[in-house]
Amino acid sequence: MVSWRRSASWLSSASRSSLGTAVGGEAKVTPEADPAAQHDEADEERWSRLLPELLTEIMRRVDAGAERWPPRRDVVVCACVCRRWRDAAVSVVRPPLECGRITFPSSLKQPGPRDAPMHCFIRRDKKNSTFSLYLSLTQALTDKGKFLLAARRFRQGAHTEYIISYDYDDLHPRSSSYVGKLRSDFLGTKFIIYDSQAPYDGAKPSRTRSTRRFASKQISPQVSGGNFEVGQVTYRFNFMKSRGPRRMQCNIQCPVGQGSASDPSKEKTPSPSSLDLKNKAPRWHDHLQCWCLNFHGRVTVASVKNFQLVATAGSGGPWGVGDEETVILQFGKIEDDAFTMDYRQPLSAFQAFAICLTSFGTKLACE
């Protein structure tokens, strides 16, 4: 499993040291200075003196030669050399909306591909109440995958919360790996999605008892962390126990006209527009005697958790997904504790993961 949990920082000292060693030579140090620190500084200065044109060409070739993980890790390592290499990587690497690839942690909060869905899968650990999101590396339904996000379910009084993090081993709201959270009501039929970063300039954090301010450096070191409401998911009550699957509606805040920068801290985030989603109505199959949806081979096990989300009429216009046949997010079961998750723009991986987490758990009022 290839993971960026320990190398999410742009300025990883291990990466700088490993790349700097390839240059060769020794740095002159004074007796009072730390030789190791001086050596690292000399290596960084040597790499940063490359001509801008040459540096850009290097990044283009590395980016073109690493279309998917794990080779794509080389792009992240290059961005860790120094600030100039980071800026060059940001200018060359395109966001998922344009290239259909996930490169940096910031890609997880950017809209997915425009033309085809991003294939991912979720693994559930019932014993620890944890969920892991992986990027599919092959056409198989599951493989080793590229670790993206993790979530853990906690009980907070009468409510349930899911803490979402970049690090599987550090699922805490005060952690620098904290991405956001999902909070449910008492019945587990209404969920609110919170982002650790402001979704647009001027956004104010939600005033809740669990709101905390902490440093979340993976996305934007210049912005203080918090809990900013970015969406709601609601399941329709079914008190009459009428026949049929769950019915859900989502209201998600998605940016319109987002720029092409790979690092959100490099651009001004526009005010988001509200995207309304609903689950696609299944059809009743008389021969099989069950409700059916066409998942195009991406779902193999029947489950009440399976769903497809489409934009409601008039809601998806700004993003070109206004018709009710374009599936923006689909989620379905393939094994006892494995589920596929395919999403596309305007949803991000973080938003899609949070929506899918709402499907876990029993909902007596909806079934």
Side-chain angles (χ1 to χ4, degrees), residues 14-319:
S15 299
R16 292 200 304 267
S17 177
S18 61
L19 284 176
T21 305
V23 177
E26 298 181 357
K28 295 181 179 180
V29 297
T30 60
E32 296 81 6
D34 182 1
Q38 286 285 60
H39 183 70
D40 289 343
E41 292 176 2
D43 287 339
E44 181 173 321
E45 182 181 358
R46 186 181 296 112
W47 282 97
S48 65
R49 285 202 301 261
L50 289 178
L51 294 174
E53 296 80 4
L54 177 59
L55 179 55
T56 301
E57 182 62 23
I58 291 174
M59 288 306 310
R60 285 176 179 171
R61 295 192 180 191
V62 174
D63 180 59
E67 293 188 356
R68 59 178 60 189
W69 293 84
R72 195 144 190 83
R73 178 174 50 188
D74 297 338
V75 181
V76 179
V77 173
C78 288
C80 293
V81 175
C82 63
R83 184 167 295 278
R84 283 194 62 201
W85 281 66
R86 172 188 176 180
D87 294 338
V90 168
S91 65
V92 170
V93 177
R94 313 318 299 163
L97 180 65
E98 299 179 14
C99 69
R101 295 192 294 261
I102 289 178
T103 305
F104 305 118
S106 59
S107 303
L108 301 179
K109 290 194 177 181
Q110 295 175 332
R114 179 184 292 111
D115 300 324
M118 186 80 76
H119 289 170
C120 306
F121 62 93
I122 298 173
R123 289 198 178 277
R124 173 179 59 180
D125 186 342
K126 292 181 180 179
K127 182 179 180 180
N128 298 321
S129 298
T130 55
F131 307 84
S132 303
L133 175 66
Y134 296 87
L135 175 67
S136 296
L137 303 181
T138 66
Q139 296 299 321
L141 291 180
T142 57
D143 47 37
K144 289 185 177 180
K146 166 71 177 74
F147 175 83
L148 299 179
L149 294 170
R152 177 173 292 172
R153 181 168 53 207
F154 295 91
R155 192 71 181 176
Q156 296 288 343
H159 303 274
T160 300
E161 287 190 356
Y162 294 79
I163 302 299
I164 305 175
S165 172
Y166 291 115
D167 193 337
Y168 183 88
D169 298 320
D170 194 7
L171 290 159
H172 194 278
R174 292 186 179 181
S175 166
S176 61
S177 300
Y178 176 75
V179 178
K181 72 175 183 179
L182 181 70
R183 181 179 174 88
S184 77
D185 63 358
F186 173 73
L187 295 176
T189 57
K190 183 177 180 179
F191 296 81
I192 300 179
I193 303 172
Y194 295 96
D195 194 334
S196 65
Q197 297 292 330
Y200 58 92
D201 292 344
K204 296 182 179 180
S206 300
R207 299 293 182 180
T208 62
R209 293 182 60 186
S210 58
T211 297
R212 298 288 187 271
R213 301 191 65 82
F214 40 81
S216 184
K217 302 179 181 179
Q218 286 81 354
I219 299 297
S220 176
Q222 292 79 20
V223 181
S224 298
N227 282 321
F228 300 87
E229 184 176 336
V230 294
Q232 294 186 6
V233 181
T234 304
Y235 287 83
R236 184 176 177 180
F237 288 103
N238 185 16
F239 289 120
M240 303 301 295
K241 301 297 180 181
S242 59
R243 187 175 63 174
R246 294 173 177 174
R247 297 182 183 181
M248 58 188 298
Q249 291 184 335
C250 306
N251 180 271
I252 307 296
Q253 301 297 317
C254 300
V256 179
Q258 177 158 329
S260 59
S262 296
D263 188 351
S265 64
K266 297 292 184 180
E267 63 175 339
K268 182 178 180 180
T269 306
S271 297
S273 181
S274 179
L275 173 66
D276 292 322
L277 302 173
K278 66 178 182 179
N279 62 304
K280 190 174 182 180
R283 62 181 180 85
W284 178 257
H285 197 291
D286 291 329
H287 179 69
L288 298 177
Q289 289 295 297
C290 65
W291 296 94
C292 296
L293 276 173
N294 185 6
F295 288 93
H296 302 282
R298 293 284 295 164
V299 177
T300 59
V301 179
S303 173
V304 70
K305 298 179 177 63
N306 301 345
F307 66 80
Q308 290 181 331
L309 293 183
V310 297
T312 59
S315 173
W319 304 276

